[in-house]
Amino acid sequence: MAWMVASANGAAGIDAVFERFCAGELDVLDAVERAAWVVEDDPEDHSVGAGGVPNLFGAVELDASIMDGVTLRAGAVAGLRGFRHPISVARAVMERTPHVLLVGEGAATFARVIGAEPAVLETQASLQAWQRAIASLEAQELRDPLTMVRALTHDPERAVGTVNFLALDDEGRMASAVSTSGWALKWPGRAGDSPVIGAGNYCDATVGAAACTGFGELSLRTQLAARCVDLLAAGADPSEAASRAIGLLRRLDAPSSERIMHIVVLRADGQHGAASTRAGTRYAWRDTSVPRAVLAPRVVVALDGPA
Ligand code: ASP
């Protein structure tokens, strides 16, 4: 058996790699990395890789991380500009440096040194979306950049989008990958949860893996992916672990427009589940019993109730 789980926008990525993963042509790390390539290359996905909506000053900045659940090795990049596959740069950080996280210009220098493929990530559509957003703020007389970034990133319709992949093979090896262009119109240099191991991504093959999408500041403040895996270790099933992890956000001081979180979970025995603060959202999974990725509902967790 083999299993992959993803955020719903990762269904095509799962299907692109699953057969080779099952055949042993791709190991767990290859599977999550190459599945992420599919979404990073999709200009219609405005939250990951090429076509991601730019930051406040018009540049696309990418965050990504990958984790090997057997060794607990991890690699990540944040605020990376100008490369096609941030997930592969993250993997190279893990495999070719003594570091875990490289940021900004240092990450770009590393990407150049290893020969990562450069790419223009800003597309006509994403630049137009950026220009429209800036023009609408200017029309409201909002010109100070700090005021602008608050107004823009507090719009939940603009701020969301990331892809998560979790994989498990028949020998119990696990890996996880997360890739994103982060909050649309974020402050330049802002790193979200996706490149922070424990916050947006965590994988321990003895227990399971979890990854987040949503307002990364919430998962950064709570180390949410790692805490979700801790809940699995304590005996919760995957949906319950995802729901209870999201429930941990109730005590955070955050406006209701920012209380958005989604988690996908894959346990070391192949059981999986997902939860979200929003009704109607789904996640993708595939194992050898189905011919293509299945989209399944996430458990909905209301965050408005008492802590
Ligand atoms: N978690 C991502 C971030 O905060 C964005 C998202 O998933 O919507 O950068």
Side-chain angles (χ1 to χ4, degrees), residues 63 159-162 180 182-183 190 192-194 212-217:
D63 293 348
V160 288
T162 292
T180 188
W183 278 20
R190 174 265 185 186
D193 59 329
S194 308
C212 306
T213 58
F215 272 74
E217 276 66 5

Side-chain angles (χ1 to χ4, degrees), residues 20 23 29 33 43 55-56 62 74 80 87 91 100 132 137 172 174 179 188 196 198 207 222 224 243 260 271 287 302:
R20 282 177 299 149
L29 284 163
E33 177 191 13
N55 67 20
L56 187 61
L62 305 174
L80 177 67
I87 196 67
R91 183 170 179 182
V100 171
R132 275 196 305 275
L137 288 181
M174 297 190 80
S179 185
V196 177
V207 181
T222 50
L224 204 60
S243 315
I260 296 172
Q271 295 296 309
D287 63 22

Side-chain angles (χ1 to χ4, degrees), residues 199 216-224 227 252-254 258:
E217 276 66 5
L218 301 179
S219 27
L220 279 166
R221 288 163 67 188
T222 50
Q223 286 291 292
L224 204 60
R227 290 178 76 182
L252 296 192
D253 167 21
E258 291 180 19

